[in-house]
Amino acid sequence: QVQLVESGGGLVQAGTSLTLSCTASGTIYSNDAIGWFRQAPTKEREFVAAIRWRLNDKIYADSVKDRFTISRDAAKNTVYLQMNSLKPEDTAVYYCAVDRSPTRATMKISDKYDYWGQGTQVTISS
């Protein structure tokens, strides 16, 4: 079992930055992947970024590539999502999740993830 807690959300203006944190209690195994997803009102949950714990292999959605950066601090059992050049369309609840058996092909698929946090709201004003 692992519990995930997201933090760092808030209300900011377009063009600014935010950093989200996802801290895990319980064991993160070397083969696990940690992903960030988001869900805006009336929309499906969508993939944002993911990182494989040991390999430090990272993938991004096209919509955030070059603006968002995912990273991890193994000593703190924490994954970060640095979000730059924020746009109003980035407004959503952001969730982190753990996939115990990831492949590069499945890391973008929310149904493959085993544990989820409660989410943190990010609101970007224009």
Side-chain angles (χ1 to χ4, degrees), residues 5-125:
V5 178
E6 302 96 337
S7 61
L11 169 63
V12 298
Q13 289 189 325
T16 61
S17 300
L18 270 178
T19 299
L20 305 183
S21 300
C22 171
T23 300
S25 58
T27 303
I28 300 296
Y29 297 104
S30 59
N31 289 330
D32 287 350
I34 314 297
W36 284 99
F37 292 79
R38 66 187 182 185
Q39 188 165 19
T42 74
K43 292 190 176 181
E44 297 282 323
R45 185 172 297 185
E46 65 171 353
F47 169 76
V48 176
I51 184 168
R52 283 198 279 194
W53 197 251
R54 178 176 62 86
L55 295 174
N56 205 27
D57 182 26
K58 305 168 187 179
I59 59 172
Y60 297 92
D62 289 343
S63 59
V64 306
K65 196 176 290 187
D66 300 327
R67 297 190 299 124
F68 290 11
T69 301
I70 190 169
S71 63
R72 59 146 172 73
D73 184 333
K76 296 182 178 180
N77 247 23
T78 297
V79 171
Y80 303 98
L81 186 68
Q82 171 71 41
M83 307 186 293
N84 299 327
S85 303
L86 285 161
K87 305 175 182 180
E89 51 263 44
D90 293 319
T91 295
V93 177
Y94 283 70
Y95 300 89
C96 65
V98 172
D99 182 356
R100 291 294 199 197
S101 55
T103 67
R104 192 169 178 85
T106 64
M107 284 166 66
K108 294 184 177 183
I109 303 172
S110 62
D111 289 349
K112 297 295 185 179
Y113 283 75
D114 302 289
Y115 303 100
W116 290 83
Q118 82 291 348
T120 185
Q121 177 70 47
V122 172
T123 303
I124 313 303
S125 64

